[in-house]
């Protein structure tokens, strides 16, 4: 159940980030990760883990992950 939610939230975040970063519709995940990391001033590995990494384990981790995802999007939007 949580797996589907994570996949949906990640896919939506990648789409929104690509639009905000003015990347083409066929941009790869790696392209979005690199551009988002640069825009947010974060290490690529940190952004990559958030957008493609292991599934959050447990409810508390899921809530924290979703909040972290939202913060990333806010940082990119503000850049």
């Amino acid at each position: 159940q949580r797996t589907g939610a994570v996949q949906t939230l990640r896919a939506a975040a990648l789409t929104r980030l690509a639009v905000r970063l003015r990347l083409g519709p066929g941009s790869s995940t790696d392209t979005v990760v690199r551009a988002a990391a640069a825009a947010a001033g974060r290490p690529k590995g940190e952004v990559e883990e958030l957008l493609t990494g292991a599934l959050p384990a447990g409810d508390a981790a899921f809530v924290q992950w979703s909040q972290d995802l939202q913060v990333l999007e806010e940082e990119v939007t503000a850049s």
Side-chain angles (χ1 to χ4, degrees), residues 54-72:
L55 296 174
D59 292 341
F62 174 76
V63 170
Q64 183 62 56
W65 170 83
S66 64
Q67 291 171 341
D68 292 345
L69 189 62
Q70 182 177 359
V71 169
L72 172 65

Side-chain angles (χ1 to χ4, degrees), residues 5-50:
V6 170
Q7 291 171 342
T8 299
L9 289 170
R10 280 183 171 158
L14 284 165
T15 299
R16 287 189 300 270
L17 287 168
V19 169
R20 288 179 184 147
L21 293 163
R22 297 187 176 113
L23 301 173
S27 297
S28 69
T29 298
D30 187 62
T31 298
V32 176
V33 166
R34 288 176 185 276
R42 293 190 186 196
K44 177 188 176 277
E46 180 182 314
V47 174
E48 189 169 42
E49 178 63 26
L50 189 58

